[in-house]
Amino acid sequence: MFHPVRHFITISKHRHEVIRLCFKAGIGFQGLFHDLSKYSLTEFIPGAKYYTGKESPNNGERRDIGYSLAWMHHKGRNKHHFEFWYDYEMETKKIVPMPMPDRYIKEMFCDRVAASKTYGGKEYNQSSPLLYLTQSTASQKMTEDTYRKLLFLLNMLAKKGEKETLAFMRKTKVLPISEPTQPQG
């Protein structure tokens, strides 16, 4: 079924939450440009076609045709996705993850919190984004420092809450690196 209005509402709700979080994290101008590509026809039409409200429509597109053109379009235009930061390694000629600048790690944090809120609804709690990260294979797909910086922020969110974590992000230019740990909650 085709759900353009529901999809529009969902992506707009998510985007507005990311913008709110980015302003509180000190990267407000950057947040204003968050996920604008989702409104392009390349991403919006599959999004409306595979909309469920419970997960990313990209998963529906993958199940249907085996891959997601919408996702490939999206990750190539949005620097807050670690998948954007892949390049050839000169020595091996293999495609490998590159370090993400901290400003995009901050936006990735905001994106993950907003996505957890949007898709989790009433089930969301401040540990939700951390659990989503630690139950994924993302640690194998980012540089170790990128993963550990994101992990640091998500652990802080789980332990100290959104207000304190965003205030920390606002005043911190260089993000600290934490030891990978399992969530506490």
Side-chain angles (χ1 to χ4, degrees):
M1 191 158 255
F2 198 66
H3 296 288
V5 173
R6 289 180 182 171
H7 179 58
F8 179 83
I9 290 168
T10 300
I11 64 175
S12 296
K13 177 183 175 185
H14 167 74
R15 184 171 179 277
H16 290 132
E17 178 62 11
V18 172
I19 292 169
R20 183 187 76 78
L21 294 168
C22 283
F23 269 96
K24 291 189 176 220
I27 54 168
F29 186 75
Q30 185 176 322
L32 291 174
F33 295 95
H34 180 84
D35 278 358
L36 288 176
S37 68
K38 285 187 178 181
Y39 299 94
S40 70
L41 293 178
T42 303
E43 294 181 39
F44 189 84
I45 291 173
K49 179 179 178 182
Y50 296 104
Y51 174 86
T52 65
K54 303 286 183 195
E55 67 174 352
S56 170
N58 298 334
N59 291 336
E61 187 178 25
R62 285 183 191 102
R63 283 190 287 272
D64 188 25
I65 64 173
Y67 55 90
S68 175
L69 283 174
W71 170 245
M72 288 188 265
H73 184 269
H74 186 74
K75 70 177 175 139
R77 285 157 182 79
N78 294 279
K79 295 177 183 177
H80 64 275
H81 289 290
F82 65 83
E83 296 90 344
F84 178 95
W85 297 93
Y86 277 72
D87 202 356
Y88 285 98
E89 187 176 60
M90 292 299 292
E91 291 177 13
T92 65
K93 303 292 188 229
K94 292 182 179 181
I95 297 174
V96 297
M98 297 289 137
M100 280 179 78
D102 286 358
R103 65 186 250 177
Y104 296 115
I105 295 173
K106 289 178 180 183
E107 186 179 353
M108 178 169 51
F109 167 89
C110 295
D111 184 49
R112 287 168 176 265
V113 172
S116 292
K117 288 180 177 183
T118 301
Y119 291 113
K122 294 175 184 172
E123 303 295 316
Y124 173 81
N125 65 60
Q126 59 193 32
S127 294
S128 298
L130 176 62
L131 289 171
Y132 185 79
L133 176 70
T134 57
Q135 293 173 356
S136 74
T137 59
S139 66
Q140 302 160 20
K141 299 172 186 166
M142 298 180 208
T143 66
E144 184 178 349
D145 284 357
T146 297
Y147 178 78
R148 290 170 58 189
K149 288 178 178 187
L150 178 61
L151 187 65
F152 177 89
L153 294 173
L154 293 174
N155 270 309
M156 179 181 277
L157 173 69
K159 294 173 187 168
K160 298 183 178 182
E162 187 175 291
K163 185 176 180 179
E164 191 169 332
T165 305
L166 293 169
F168 171 82
M169 290 168 65
R170 187 172 48 254
K171 69 179 183 178
T172 305
K173 295 283 186 219
V174 178
L175 293 173
I177 298 172
S178 74
E179 292 297 322
T181 61
Q182 290 301 316
Q184 304 290 322

mmCIF file of all heavy atoms in Angstrom, residues 94-114:
data_model
loop_
_atom_site.group_PDB
_atom_site.id
_atom_site.type_symbol
_atom_site.label_atom_id
_atom_site.label_comp_id
_atom_site.label_asym_id
_atom_site.label_seq_id
_atom_site.Cartn_x
_atom_site.Cartn_y
_atom_site.Cartn_z
ATOM 1 N N LYS A 94 41.192 -1.782 -0.988
ATOM 2 C CA LYS A 94 39.913 -2.233 -0.447
ATOM 3 C C LYS A 94 39.131 -1.032 0.063
ATOM 4 O O LYS A 94 39.719 -0.034 0.505
ATOM 5 C CB LYS A 94 40.126 -3.220 0.701
ATOM 6 C CG LYS A 94 40.711 -4.540 0.258
ATOM 7 C CD LYS A 94 40.850 -5.476 1.432
ATOM 8 C CE LYS A 94 41.424 -6.805 0.950
ATOM 9 N NZ LYS A 94 41.567 -7.760 2.041
ATOM 10 N N ILE A 95 37.815 -1.147 0.038
ATOM 11 C CA ILE A 95 36.965 -0.101 0.598
ATOM 12 C C ILE A 95 36.880 -0.332 2.104
ATOM 13 O O ILE A 95 36.503 -1.420 2.544
ATOM 14 C CB ILE A 95 35.566 -0.120 -0.054
ATOM 15 C CG1 ILE A 95 35.693 0.183 -1.548
ATOM 16 C CG2 ILE A 95 34.636 0.876 0.630
ATOM 17 C CD1 ILE A 95 34.400 0.052 -2.320
ATOM 18 N N VAL A 96 37.251 0.697 2.855
ATOM 19 C CA VAL A 96 37.307 0.590 4.314
ATOM 20 C C VAL A 96 36.685 1.832 4.950
ATOM 21 O O VAL A 96 36.592 2.887 4.313
ATOM 22 C CB VAL A 96 38.763 0.420 4.807
ATOM 23 C CG1 VAL A 96 39.368 -0.876 4.293
ATOM 24 C CG2 VAL A 96 39.616 1.609 4.406
ATOM 25 N N PRO A 97 36.271 1.738 6.224
ATOM 26 C CA PRO A 97 35.738 2.925 6.903
ATOM 27 C C PRO A 97 36.839 3.938 7.183
ATOM 28 O O PRO A 97 37.985 3.571 7.438
ATOM 29 C CB PRO A 97 35.154 2.365 8.198
ATOM 30 C CG PRO A 97 35.850 1.073 8.422
ATOM 31 C CD PRO A 97 36.216 0.540 7.067
ATOM 32 N N MET A 98 36.460 5.192 7.112
ATOM 33 C CA MET A 98 37.351 6.306 7.424
ATOM 34 C C MET A 98 36.866 6.951 8.726
ATOM 35 O O MET A 98 35.704 6.811 9.089
ATOM 36 C CB MET A 98 37.313 7.353 6.302
ATOM 37 C CG MET A 98 37.808 6.832 4.966
ATOM 38 S SD MET A 98 39.592 6.593 5.038
ATOM 39 C CE MET A 98 39.764 5.034 4.212
ATOM 40 N N PRO A 99 37.730 7.678 9.422
ATOM 41 C CA PRO A 99 37.300 8.356 10.651
ATOM 42 C C PRO A 99 36.248 9.428 10.337
ATOM 43 O O PRO A 99 36.370 10.155 9.359
ATOM 44 C CB PRO A 99 38.580 9.013 11.169
ATOM 45 C CG PRO A 99 39.698 8.418 10.406
ATOM 46 C CD PRO A 99 39.152 7.879 9.132
ATOM 47 N N MET A 100 35.231 9.510 11.172
ATOM 48 C CA MET A 100 34.211 10.543 11.026
ATOM 49 C C MET A 100 34.616 11.760 11.843
ATOM 50 O O MET A 100 35.028 11.613 12.994
ATOM 51 C CB MET A 100 32.852 10.052 11.561
ATOM 52 C CG MET A 100 32.088 9.163 10.630
ATOM 53 S SD MET A 100 30.515 8.618 11.367
ATOM 54 C CE MET A 100 29.505 10.081 11.157
ATOM 55 N N PRO A 101 34.457 12.955 11.288
ATOM 56 C CA PRO A 101 34.659 14.162 12.099
ATOM 57 C C PRO A 101 33.640 14.198 13.245
ATOM 58 O O PRO A 101 32.500 13.739 13.101
ATOM 59 C CB PRO A 101 34.412 15.301 11.108
ATOM 60 C CG PRO A 101 34.658 14.693 9.757
ATOM 61 C CD PRO A 101 34.213 13.261 9.881
ATOM 62 N N ASP A 102 34.051 14.750 14.372
ATOM 63 C CA ASP A 102 33.191 14.763 15.559
ATOM 64 C C ASP A 102 31.847 15.434 15.329
ATOM 65 O O ASP A 102 30.835 15.019 15.880
ATOM 66 C CB ASP A 102 33.921 15.418 16.730
ATOM 67 C CG ASP A 102 35.004 14.520 17.328
ATOM 68 O OD1 ASP A 102 35.163 13.376 16.867
ATOM 69 O OD2 ASP A 102 35.676 14.962 18.269
ATOM 70 N N ARG A 103 31.804 16.482 14.511
ATOM 71 C CA ARG A 103 30.526 17.158 14.276
ATOM 72 C C ARG A 103 29.502 16.221 13.649
ATOM 73 O O ARG A 103 28.311 16.337 13.916
ATOM 74 C CB ARG A 103 30.702 18.428 13.453
ATOM 75 C CG ARG A 103 31.191 18.178 12.048
ATOM 76 C CD ARG A 103 31.496 19.460 11.331
ATOM 77 N NE ARG A 103 30.501 19.666 10.280
ATOM 78 C CZ ARG A 103 30.461 20.711 9.512
ATOM 79 N NH1 ARG A 103 31.302 21.706 9.704
ATOM 80 N NH2 ARG A 103 29.574 20.795 8.561
ATOM 81 N N TYR A 104 29.942 15.278 12.826
ATOM 82 C CA TYR A 104 29.010 14.326 12.220
ATOM 83 C C TYR A 104 28.688 13.176 13.174
ATOM 84 O O TYR A 104 27.607 12.600 13.100
ATOM 85 C CB TYR A 104 29.541 13.823 10.877
ATOM 86 C CG TYR A 104 29.651 14.953 9.884
ATOM 87 C CD1 TYR A 104 30.882 15.358 9.394
ATOM 88 C CD2 TYR A 104 28.521 15.654 9.468
ATOM 89 C CE1 TYR A 104 30.992 16.417 8.512
ATOM 90 C CE2 TYR A 104 28.614 16.715 8.584
ATOM 91 C CZ TYR A 104 29.851 17.094 8.103
ATOM 92 O OH TYR A 104 29.943 18.151 7.234
ATOM 93 N N ILE A 105 29.616 12.851 14.065
ATOM 94 C CA ILE A 105 29.300 11.869 15.110
ATOM 95 C C ILE A 105 28.214 12.448 16.012
ATOM 96 O O ILE A 105 27.278 11.742 16.405
ATOM 97 C CB ILE A 105 30.561 11.477 15.913
ATOM 98 C CG1 ILE A 105 31.564 10.739 15.006
ATOM 99 C CG2 ILE A 105 30.176 10.604 17.112
ATOM 100 C CD1 ILE A 105 32.909 10.470 15.656
ATOM 101 N N LYS A 106 28.301 13.726 16.326
ATOM 102 C CA LYS A 106 27.263 14.377 17.129
ATOM 103 C C LYS A 106 25.911 14.317 16.422
ATOM 104 O O LYS A 106 24.886 14.024 17.034
ATOM 105 C CB LYS A 106 27.644 15.832 17.423
ATOM 106 C CG LYS A 106 28.789 15.981 18.398
ATOM 107 C CD LYS A 106 29.140 17.449 18.601
ATOM 108 C CE LYS A 106 30.291 17.632 19.568
ATOM 109 N NZ LYS A 106 30.578 19.071 19.813
ATOM 110 N N GLU A 107 25.912 14.586 15.127
ATOM 111 C CA GLU A 107 24.657 14.517 14.373
ATOM 112 C C GLU A 107 24.156 13.074 14.305
ATOM 113 O O GLU A 107 22.947 12.828 14.381
ATOM 114 C CB GLU A 107 24.836 15.094 12.967
ATOM 115 C CG GLU A 107 23.528 15.187 12.194
ATOM 116 C CD GLU A 107 23.688 15.770 10.800
ATOM 117 O OE1 GLU A 107 24.796 16.242 10.437
ATOM 118 O OE2 GLU A 107 22.685 15.748 10.042
ATOM 119 N N MET A 108 25.065 12.113 14.169
ATOM 120 C CA MET A 108 24.673 10.704 14.161
ATOM 121 C C MET A 108 24.017 10.338 15.487
ATOM 122 O O MET A 108 23.009 9.615 15.515
ATOM 123 C CB MET A 108 25.891 9.807 13.888
ATOM 124 C CG MET A 108 25.572 8.317 13.913
ATOM 125 S SD MET A 108 26.880 7.213 13.287
ATOM 126 C CE MET A 108 28.324 7.731 14.166
ATOM 127 N N PHE A 109 24.564 10.832 16.591
ATOM 128 C CA PHE A 109 23.949 10.618 17.903
ATOM 129 C C PHE A 109 22.515 11.168 17.895
ATOM 130 O O PHE A 109 21.576 10.471 18.291
ATOM 131 C CB PHE A 109 24.792 11.309 18.987
ATOM 132 C CG PHE A 109 24.098 11.410 20.311
ATOM 133 C CD1 PHE A 109 24.215 10.400 21.251
ATOM 134 C CD2 PHE A 109 23.321 12.519 20.629
ATOM 135 C CE1 PHE A 109 23.563 10.485 22.477
ATOM 136 C CE2 PHE A 109 22.673 12.617 21.847
ATOM 137 C CZ PHE A 109 22.792 11.596 22.771
ATOM 138 N N CYS A 110 22.355 12.408 17.474
ATOM 139 C CA CYS A 110 21.024 13.031 17.440
ATOM 140 C C CYS A 110 20.067 12.240 16.547
ATOM 141 O O CYS A 110 18.896 12.043 16.894
ATOM 142 C CB CYS A 110 21.123 14.477 16.963
ATOM 143 S SG CYS A 110 22.029 15.573 18.085
ATOM 144 N N ASP A 111 20.571 11.770 15.414
ATOM 145 C CA ASP A 111 19.768 10.980 14.486
ATOM 146 C C ASP A 111 19.308 9.672 15.126
ATOM 147 O O ASP A 111 18.145 9.283 15.008
ATOM 148 C CB ASP A 111 20.602 10.696 13.232
ATOM 149 C CG ASP A 111 19.842 9.965 12.152
ATOM 150 O OD1 ASP A 111 18.717 10.372 11.815
ATOM 151 O OD2 ASP A 111 20.385 8.974 11.618
ATOM 152 N N ARG A 112 20.196 9.005 15.815
ATOM 153 C CA ARG A 112 19.851 7.726 16.443
ATOM 154 C C ARG A 112 18.863 7.908 17.598
ATOM 155 O O ARG A 112 17.954 7.091 17.765
ATOM 156 C CB ARG A 112 21.115 7.008 16.915
ATOM 157 C CG ARG A 112 21.904 6.435 15.747
ATOM 158 C CD ARG A 112 23.297 5.984 16.149
ATOM 159 N NE ARG A 112 23.949 5.370 15.019
ATOM 160 C CZ ARG A 112 23.961 4.059 14.780
ATOM 161 N NH1 ARG A 112 23.371 3.223 15.592
ATOM 162 N NH2 ARG A 112 24.571 3.581 13.717
ATOM 163 N N VAL A 113 19.022 8.970 18.364
ATOM 164 C CA VAL A 113 18.071 9.236 19.443
ATOM 165 C C VAL A 113 16.697 9.542 18.852
ATOM 166 O O VAL A 113 15.681 8.988 19.289
ATOM 167 C CB VAL A 113 18.557 10.394 20.345
ATOM 168 C CG1 VAL A 113 17.484 10.809 21.342
ATOM 169 C CG2 VAL A 113 19.837 9.985 21.075
ATOM 170 N N ALA A 114 16.663 10.391 17.835
ATOM 171 C CA ALA A 114 15.390 10.747 17.209
ATOM 172 C C ALA A 114 14.730 9.537 16.548
ATOM 173 O O ALA A 114 13.509 9.367 16.636
ATOM 174 C CB ALA A 114 15.603 11.860 16.180
#
